[in-house]
Amino acid sequence: MYKKLAYPLGLAAVTLITACASHTETAKQPSNFVEAYNGISSDELKQHTKVLASDEFEGRLPTTAGEEKTLDYLVSNFKALGYLPGNGDSYLQPVELMEITADPDMHLSMGSHTFDYQKDMVASTKREKTQVNLKDSDIVFVGYGVNAPEYGWNDYEGLDVKGKTVVILVNDPGFENPESGKFQGKTMTYYGRWTYKYEEASRQGAEAAIIVHETEPASYGWSVVANSWSGPQYSLVTDNGGADRVAVEGWVSLDAAKKVFAEAGLDFAAEKQHAMQGPYHKALNLKASVTVNSSLKKSTSHNVIATLPGSVHPDEHVIFTAHWDHLGSDPNKKGDHIYNGAHDNATGTAASIVMAKAFAALDQRPARSTTFLMVTAEEQGLLGSQYYAEHPVIPLDKTVANLNMDAMNVLGATKDVSVIGMGKSELEKYLAKATARQGRELVQEHRPEAGYYYRSDHFSFAKKGVPALYAEGGDEPANEEMAKYRKRANVIVTGCYHQVCDEYRENWDFSGVREDTQMFFEVGYDLVTSDDWPKWNPSSEFQRNK
Ligand SMILES: [Zn+2]
């Protein structure tokens, strides 16, 4: 599982030299860089995390009072550090959201089975309608629901899905068949993402798209689906009111799917095997029905943009991103009902503030501008960053790079740094230099099959061709003590992903958050003090738009 990749010799030599030079000021770093670097403190990182994850911030749901508190906190901090408004004379970029809340009194029938909301199914609509009605729609299993010409794979080939309900496997055909050479083996491609499945089903003209949940290929359990699909769902406001989307988007549990396949006289596991071998679809000769009643509300959330202008090329920016939002609170939940999102992503937001302070503390202003973009609605599908990338305040061709922090490492200091989507761009050279200073090595992410490169805000920049880096402390504890701590803390961090128990803990060790923040500070520093334009590697699926 755990694959270490050695860097080419040339680069190793370079990192060695810079590592040696790191204790003295080099020609490249004439300012008080090291002082600012060392000034990044665990205490401050903890303090900001604690505030942002407090109950007072109500789980930082977009468009709620929790948003207002969060925006105030961010703006006042950036302002106090001397950062200028990034959007004209405002620190805020309004993001128009369509909030669609499905009535939980909802049942999905497939064949003779009826499945209950959250227990075995979830569904919603991106059509801006108070009611969508799926009635006796033919069910077709479409394997992975992939149409990928470059892999010679089209599950929809020769199939007319108009008015039909497509049932789709999660992940892509390479995942459970890594030796087959299909797609990128265990490394998830964008075709494996659930967002893609609905996009493709919509392009094909299907009426409904239902994904079968399986814990391993999804990389998270059913409770994550049930929680994140209940309550208000957001999308960006569109001109056509979501008319180009399928009417119903949903998930069913694996158990539910097995029952439906059995009624169709099919074995789910055997059908999945077929779907793995090659493009595949099969009519189940059963009907699906569901009524989704929704309340609609247009509302406005905000990205926060704060800039420290460069001294020579203020028009050229390095943009740090971290999403400030989380899941809010669930008034129907007994006991603790606030999704505080301490790890996800009060930590990345806190790191941004602390890093902004380090940049502001430099006694020589870097040549390029340093910009912090704190985005909204990441949890709802990277909407804030998508909106920004589609309406960039700083031209994308003046955006040198994007560096993203999402759910920082609260499991303690590490010997390694995990690069999410390793091998994509030259930004990794900068990262290698920064981690060499810390005596850490770069490794490939632990589970490339989970598709993390497509699951946070840097992806919105990558899609638009801006080189984007996402990295964090790896899995090798720095020492024995860290190893013990990591074991204990990991149970909580993993178990509390998108749960109410993701809350700030005084006994969290922030040495890992600190070293990662320092690492990003150095990567950012080297970029804002350089005139280099790092490129995507030729093998990457992304390239700078001309
Ligand atoms: Zn999250």
Side-chain angles (χ1 to χ4, degrees), residues 6-19 428-430 432-433 436:
Y7 260 79
L9 216 68
L11 190 60
V14 171
T15 58
L16 260 181
I17 291 160
T18 53
E428 285 167 30
K429 285 190 210 166
Y430 287 82
K433 171 178 172 291

Side-chain angles (χ1 to χ4, degrees), residues 2 343 404-420 431 435 438 440-447 470-478 486 490 511-520:
Y2 194 81
H343 178 229
N404 185 48
M405 292 166 290
D406 188 357
M408 307 280 290
N409 171 33
V410 293
L411 301 179
T414 61
K415 285 181 182 160
D416 57 351
V417 171
S418 162
V419 185
I420 321 300
L431 187 65
T435 52
Q438 302 174 325
R440 299 199 288 171
E441 70 171 317
L442 294 189
V443 297
Q444 191 183 34
E445 66 195 286
H446 184 41
R447 293 187 308 144
Y470 185 30
E472 61 176 3
D475 294 335
E476 289 279 346
R486 187 184 178 88
N490 202 16
S511 55
V513 181
R514 179 177 188 242
E515 62 185 359
D516 286 359
T517 307
Q518 290 175 318
M519 163 186 93
F520 274 114

Side-chain angles (χ1 to χ4, degrees), residues 323 326 344 378-379 406 497-498:
H323 73 88
H326 195 55
D344 181 12
E378 187 271 353
E379 304 289 11
D406 188 357
Y497 173 70
H498 281 201

Side-chain angles (χ1 to χ4, degrees), residues 105-117 120-123 133-140 164-167 208 210 248 251-252 256-257 259-261 263 284-292:
D105 185 14
M106 182 198 306
H107 310 275
L108 169 68
S109 73
M110 298 176 90
S112 67
H113 297 280
T114 300
F115 301 115
D116 294 336
Y117 185 66
D120 275 310
M121 59 83 59
V122 291
N133 224 328
L134 185 76
K135 187 126 183 61
D136 295 331
S137 162
D138 288 324
I139 304 174
V140 190
K164 293 179 184 166
T165 295
V166 293
V167 172
I210 308 284
V248 177
W251 292 74
V252 288
K259 285 178 189 161
V260 175
F261 276 65
E263 186 177 351
L284 297 195
N285 297 318
L286 296 172
K287 309 275 189 191
S289 301
V290 65
T291 300
V292 181

Side-chain angles (χ1 to χ4, degrees), residues 496-514:
C496 292
Y497 173 70
H498 281 201
Q499 308 290 329
V500 290
C501 60
D502 179 7
E503 45 197 15
Y504 175 77
R505 285 153 210 272
E506 208 54 64
N507 63 1
W508 263 350
D509 182 305
F510 262 48
S511 55
V513 181
R514 179 177 188 242

